[in-house]
Amino acid sequence: ADGELVQYHYGLKDLVTILFYIFIAIILHAVVQEYALDKINRRLHLSKVKHSKFNESGQLVAFHLSSVIWCLYVVVTEGYISNPRSLWENYPHVYLPFQVKFFYLCQLAYWLHALPELYFQKVRKEEIPRQLRCIALYLVHIAGAYLLNLTRLGLILLLLQYLAEFFFHMARLVYFTDENNEKLFNVWAVVFVVTRLFTLTLYILVIGFGLPRVESQALDPERGNFFSFLFNNILFRMSVLLLVCLFQASVMWRFIHFQLRRWREYWNEQSSRKRVAATTGTKQQTKPLKRDSGYHENGVVKAENGTSPRTKKLKSP
């Protein structure tokens, strides 16, 4: 009421809040599964493998869509997009607005809830290592941004990452319903490349030019200053940028390899269809025509002896 702005810092009580929202996430997960995904699965009659992938993509579509909308609202209202300098100005960003802190706690709760969901959803053993690796990467990056006071940069990176993931899992859902429809995969490919370029540009902007210009360059863990004194060293700064570029290059290489394999399979399928169609057409042309016995006269078929080919009607006794 007095116009006082209340801000928050992280602490041990966050663990209790995260635990509470883990249970909320489990309940929401069950609601989406029961009232949406299970009903669609009954109509599609998918195999066990596709059924598991459909459930995974369905849950992630709901999560990524809500997270993209929420994250976009936060970065717009806080002015992080309109003022890119705010990503590194006044670092460290120890005190957070309520909506930023609440967003990070909910993100941590969701990815932690995904661990018991591997048991509840009866995920196949072959899929568990991949999903554990994905969950661990998200937890490390989100918790790192939250604890190391890089929350503003983390928000923009999460927005880009979730946007690409939303289109990917949406394309999978459409593909499971209609295997001939792969248009959304092309949309995802474009969004993925654009988000990778924005991510790399953002890293270079913040790490290469932003953090080295921070006024406080001394290591001060009590104030949350962990990085600025390191980025003042040009050798360390270039090493970090090189690692970031190599990581993004490896991601793009896997993406290009996946796209090339997908296009190769598509063209092989198209060429095999054309080959089958050409072979079928040739067989139909070379197939001998059946000729009726006898000859035609004025459009009427006559037998060889000149009699009509029609059978005589037997008189009833």
Side-chain angles (χ1 to χ4, degrees), residues 116-183:
E117 286 294 343
L118 296 177
Y119 173 76
F120 295 148
Q121 295 293 322
K122 298 179 181 179
V123 178
R124 295 185 305 149
K125 293 182 179 180
E126 297 82 4
E127 293 289 327
I128 290 179
R130 178 185 64 83
Q131 296 200 23
L132 284 177
R133 186 165 58 250
C134 178
I135 294 170
L137 286 173
Y138 274 112
L139 285 174
V140 168
H141 284 81
I142 296 173
Y146 183 65
L147 297 175
L148 299 177
N149 302 314
L150 291 169
T151 51
R152 300 180 182 181
L153 176 62
L155 281 173
I156 306 296
L157 294 177
L158 276 178
L159 177 63
L160 295 173
Q161 175 67 19
Y162 285 166
L163 186 63
E165 289 292 311
F166 167 74
F167 280 101
F168 173 71
H169 289 287
M170 194 67 196
R172 286 181 72 182
L173 290 180
V174 174
Y175 176 76
F176 288 142
T177 55
D178 182 9
E179 294 186 355
N180 296 322
N181 191 349
E182 298 184 0
K183 294 181 180 179

Side-chain angles (χ1 to χ4, degrees), residues 82-94:
S82 59
N83 183 21
R85 290 178 177 271
S86 62
L87 297 180
W88 62 81
E89 282 184 343
N90 301 321
Y91 179 83
H93 307 131
V94 178

Side-chain angles (χ1 to χ4, degrees), residues 65-77:
L65 179 60
S66 58
S67 296
V68 165
I69 296 174
W70 189 5
C71 187
L72 184 61
Y73 174 79
V74 172
V75 297
V76 169
T77 54

